[in-house]
Amino acid sequence: MASPTSARPPGRPRAGVNDVVFAATLSTVHELGYARATVERIAAAAGVAKSTVYRRWPTKGALIVDCLLDAFGPAPLDGADRAELMSSTIRWIAAKIGEPGVGDAFAGVFSDAVSDPALREILSTRLQDPYRLALQDALGEPENRVLFFIDVVVGVLLHRMGMTGAPMADADVDALVAMVLAHFADGVDGEVAEVADRD
């Protein structure tokens, strides 16, 4: 198979290189696992020099965080009311974590961050904070409640991925939605039961 960068014209914008590296990162993590997906192997899969990767991302953790930001994109925040918005957000996160390489990369970088304060700071400020702020604004919830929402949803989904190597089944995502909405019911004005019935 030809290198994905072999036909790239000179002077291609940085975003184009980033796209190639992000795709190579997820495919390498998916094929080899997080631990074996080194920067060297990712660069080779992308068809770029290792120095090209390190100029943009000084560490594997920084690369993975930006790759996850690219994979997730902006939170959709869809829904006619708070219950629907939270339900759609949980299902969106579950679907993204189920994409090839995304859940593995997410779980791997979180594991590395346990003993790496610098990486934890990157995860907090670059990955978590934008979604936290968007959810706080959309839901009208304080920071501690939104952080709890993120902890529960992402934690459960990544735990399932770590324990089984597979994303959570739809029926279990439905149960997760019901449990999370029940906790936040005091602000939903009785809409939780209606959403659960529709789902």
Side-chain angles (χ1 to χ4, degrees):
M1 188 171 87
S3 163
T5 61
S6 59
R8 190 171 69 243
R12 183 171 179 172
R14 175 180 293 189
V17 175
N18 289 1
D19 290 345
V20 171
V21 173
F22 291 155
T25 299
L26 292 180
S27 65
T28 304
V29 169
H30 182 61
E31 291 166 13
L32 302 179
Y34 179 84
R36 296 182 62 212
T38 61
V39 171
E40 291 80 359
R41 285 173 170 152
I42 290 168
V48 301
K50 182 173 64 174
S51 59
T52 298
V53 177
Y54 278 121
R55 275 198 300 272
R56 290 163 170 79
W57 303 280
T59 64
K60 175 181 171 179
L63 167 59
I64 294 294
V65 168
D66 277 3
C67 181
L68 290 171
L69 278 168
D70 180 74
F72 275 84
L77 300 178
D78 297 327
D81 51 52
R82 291 175 76 258
E84 286 188 0
L85 189 152
M86 295 181 79
S87 175
S88 67
T89 298
I90 294 168
R91 296 181 194 286
W92 165 71
I93 296 170
K96 287 293 182 180
I97 287 176
E99 292 179 1
V102 174
D104 295 341
F106 210 163
V109 76
F110 264 70
S111 177
D112 281 355
V114 170
S115 56
D116 186 340
L119 180 55
R120 283 202 304 274
E121 179 68 14
I122 293 171
L123 278 169
S124 176
T125 58
R126 287 193 51 73
L127 185 61
Q128 179 173 262
D129 279 358
Y131 296 113
R132 173 183 61 79
L133 291 168
L135 284 166
Q136 279 180 236
D137 184 59
L139 295 172
E141 292 279 2
E143 179 178 350
N144 66 310
R145 293 261 287 173
V146 172
L147 285 173
F148 183 70
F149 173 81
I150 293 170
D151 286 345
V152 170
V153 174
V154 175
V156 168
L157 293 169
L158 291 184
H159 183 271
R160 176 62 60 87
M161 176 70 74
M163 292 294 101
T164 68
M168 185 172 280
D170 289 345
D172 289 338
V173 174
D174 292 341
L176 177 61
V177 168
M179 287 190 294
V180 172
L181 290 183
H183 175 76
F184 283 86
D186 57 338
V188 181
D189 297 329
E191 293 162 353
V192 173
E194 295 175 16
V195 172
D197 288 341
R198 286 199 299 271
D199 290 343

